[in-house]
């Protein structure tokens, strides 16, 4: 990963206090509430108080903002968010954590909601919870569903969602921030580039978590765009092409779209050539602007029966 940190916290030397980022506290809560870590729910809790502090500063929110936290765990990040934001809603799926959160988060501006984030109707919930405040998502994401969570936020959240600051696995952070056309890119990179400007803020060593995961993590911040950076006449069709192209990323785009998408291969080859792209180009070599141009062009093509090919 290139060192593209936008925030340098090295000059902040003062000790940082967070009562919920402490091994003893976590183990005591675990014992008193008969709680067991649920690996299947991605439960690796932060035990380094500097990390939630840095994440909340990196998210750059103040009391004007509403914050949606996905997966508060025992509440160590929520503790920092409660001090910074106007209102915090923390959505936790694990019933076993609810009595713990009732004990650890006695703040007027924090509401814990027991729900599976993937089942929330964001277009209804965000205005209901936050009124007309700008909303940020700030979370140490459960790693087993990072991509579905991000796709849901990008595709379904109303425009009041302005920023997403999340901790993810380091390799995933690299993919999220990879520019389209680079070999690290994937379908998720293009979705993120379309909807936001994304940066890696800093890395987090595995030793910052309990239990300790096998991989390093990194914090990524996405500032949502007012307008997409490319002009495409059919966004859904473009993302269908992107998904199909990356679904078989070792194949040429012509073969991937022809085999899985049922598009006529000679016509695809002609379309690529007329956009000055090689007929054997692969999805990972295509920029977002080129996918948009390909979509716009294919939308003008008809099959022999006069039906649109896309
Ligand atoms: N925020 C805490 C921290 O940083 O220490 C805990 C983060 S832990 C990596 C992920 C949290 O997400 C866990 O509390 C887990 O139970 C919760 N979680 C997992 N899947 C979820 C889902 N679908 N909806 C809401 N919360 C979920």
């Amino acid at each position: 990963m290139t060192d593209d940190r936008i925030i340098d916290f090295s000059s902040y030397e003062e000790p940082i206090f967070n009562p919920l980022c402490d091994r003893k506290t976590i183990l005591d809560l675990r014992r008193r509430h008969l709680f067991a870590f649920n690996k299947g729910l991605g439960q690796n809790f932060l035990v380094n108080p500097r990390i939630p502090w840095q994440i909340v500063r990196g998210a750059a929110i103040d009391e004007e903002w509403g914050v949606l936290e996905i997966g508060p765990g025992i509440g160590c990040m929520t503790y920092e968010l409660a001090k910074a934001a106007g209102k915090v809603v923390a959505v936790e799926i694990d019933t076993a954590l609810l009595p713990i959160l009732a004990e650890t988060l006695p703040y007027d501006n924090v509401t814990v909601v027991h729900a599976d984030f993937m089942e929330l109707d964001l277009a209804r919930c965000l205005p209901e919870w936050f009124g007309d405040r700008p909303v940020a998502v700030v979370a140490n994401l459960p790693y087993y569903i990072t991509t579905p969570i991000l796709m849901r936020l990008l595709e379904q959240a109303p425009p009041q969602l302005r920023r997403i600051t999340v901790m993810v696995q380091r390799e995933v952070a690299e993919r999220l921030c990879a520019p389209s056309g680079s070999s690290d890119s994937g379908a998720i990179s293009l979705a993120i580039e379309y909807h936001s400007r994304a940066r890696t803020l800093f890395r987090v060593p595995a030793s910052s978590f309990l239990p300790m995961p096998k991989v390093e993590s990194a914090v990524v911040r996405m500032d949502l765009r007012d307008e997409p950076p490319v002009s495409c006449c059919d966004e859904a069709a473009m993302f269908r092409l992107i998904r199909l192209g990356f679904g078989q990323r070792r194949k040429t785009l012509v073969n991937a779209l022809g085999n899985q998408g049922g598009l006529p291969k000679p016509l695809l080859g002609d379309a690529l050539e007329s956009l000055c792209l090689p007929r054997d180009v692969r999805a990972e070599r295509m920029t977002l602007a080129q996918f948009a141009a390909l979509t716009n062009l294919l939308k003008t093509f008809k099959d022999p029966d006069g039906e649109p090919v896309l």
Side-chain angles (χ1 to χ4, degrees):
M1 183 165 67
T2 51
D3 194 9
D4 53 358
R5 290 174 302 173
I6 58 167
I7 299 193
D8 179 7
F9 289 104
S10 55
S11 57
Y12 292 89
E13 287 305 332
E14 78 268 30
I16 291 160
F17 175 70
N18 183 330
L20 303 175
C21 252
D22 176 71
R23 277 167 211 278
K24 272 203 194 126
T25 308
I26 296 175
L27 296 175
D28 174 57
L29 286 166
R30 211 170 77 139
R31 186 182 50 76
R32 286 192 292 108
H33 290 274
L34 302 174
F35 171 76
F37 293 114
N38 187 329
K39 225 176 149 185
L41 290 177
Q43 290 180 350
N44 300 96
F45 297 156
L46 279 164
V47 286
N48 177 349
R50 194 161 276 274
I51 306 302
W53 185 88
Q54 286 187 189
I55 293 174
V56 174
R57 258 124 217 100
I61 40 146
D62 59 28
E63 62 281 356
E64 301 289 309
W65 287 75
V67 173
L68 168 60
E69 185 187 8
I70 302 160
I74 71 152
C76 70
M77 184 114 76
T78 333
Y79 168 84
E80 287 294 348
L81 288 168
K83 288 191 279 176
K87 177 161 189 199
V88 182
V89 174
V91 175
E92 176 55 60
I93 195 172
D94 189 355
T95 323
L97 285 166
L98 301 180
I100 296 185
L101 289 166
E103 177 183 326
T104 58
L105 297 177
Y107 307 109
D108 290 343
N109 62 343
V110 174
T111 306
V112 174
V113 171
H114 178 218
D116 176 350
F117 169 78
M118 295 305 292
E119 311 241 300
L120 293 179
D121 175 356
L122 294 172
R124 188 180 56 78
C125 289
L126 294 197
E128 192 179 302
W129 291 337
F130 300 110
D132 52 11
R133 288 177 191 274
V135 174
V137 164
V138 182
N140 169 13
L141 286 183
Y143 292 171
Y144 75 106
I145 45 168
T146 300
T147 301
I149 287 178
L150 290 176
M151 288 309 296
R152 200 174 174 87
L153 286 169
L154 296 175
E155 289 176 358
Q156 297 186 16
Q160 77 184 117
L161 178 67
R162 305 304 311 142
R163 193 172 295 155
I164 302 171
T165 306
V166 283
M167 178 138 64
V168 298
Q169 284 184 26
R170 184 166 74 86
E171 288 75 13
V172 176
E174 283 166 21
R175 175 141 292 175
L176 299 183
C177 298
S180 58
S182 71
S183 57
D184 281 343
S185 68
I188 182 78
S189 331
L190 276 85
I192 286 183
E193 192 173 317
Y194 186 76
H195 291 283
S196 75
R197 291 170 205 280
R199 304 269 177 85
T200 300
L201 299 188
F202 55 91
R203 295 186 201 170
V204 179
S207 57
S208 299
F209 301 88
L210 182 76
M212 193 163 100
K214 290 196 178 72
V215 292
E216 214 186 347
S217 299
V219 176
V220 173
R221 173 168 141 187
M222 290 152 256
D223 292 307
L224 298 195
R225 297 179 190 273
D226 294 326
E227 297 292 334
V230 295
S231 133
C232 177
C233 65
D234 187 338
E235 186 183 311
M238 178 176 76
F239 280 106
R240 207 161 54 241
L241 295 185
I242 291 172
R243 271 195 304 275
L244 288 169
F246 281 98
Q248 298 192 307
R249 62 185 295 145
R250 297 280 153 244
K251 293 218 158 84
T252 65
L253 196 64
V254 166
N255 278 333
L257 301 187
N259 295 344
Q260 297 295 312
L263 292 165
K265 290 184 187 178
L267 185 141
L268 280 168
D270 293 347
L272 289 172
E273 216 165 70
S274 70
L275 295 171
C276 300
L277 287 161
R279 294 180 92 93
D280 63 352
V281 71
R282 292 181 183 168
E284 64 190 30
R285 287 287 157 224
M286 295 267 294
T287 64
L288 182 62
Q290 288 165 339
F291 267 112
L294 180 64
T295 310
N296 291 340
L297 184 58
L298 290 176
K299 286 299 276 187
T300 65
F301 288 178
K302 304 250 185 319
D303 69 12
D305 299 326
E307 294 297 319
V309 297
L310 192 64

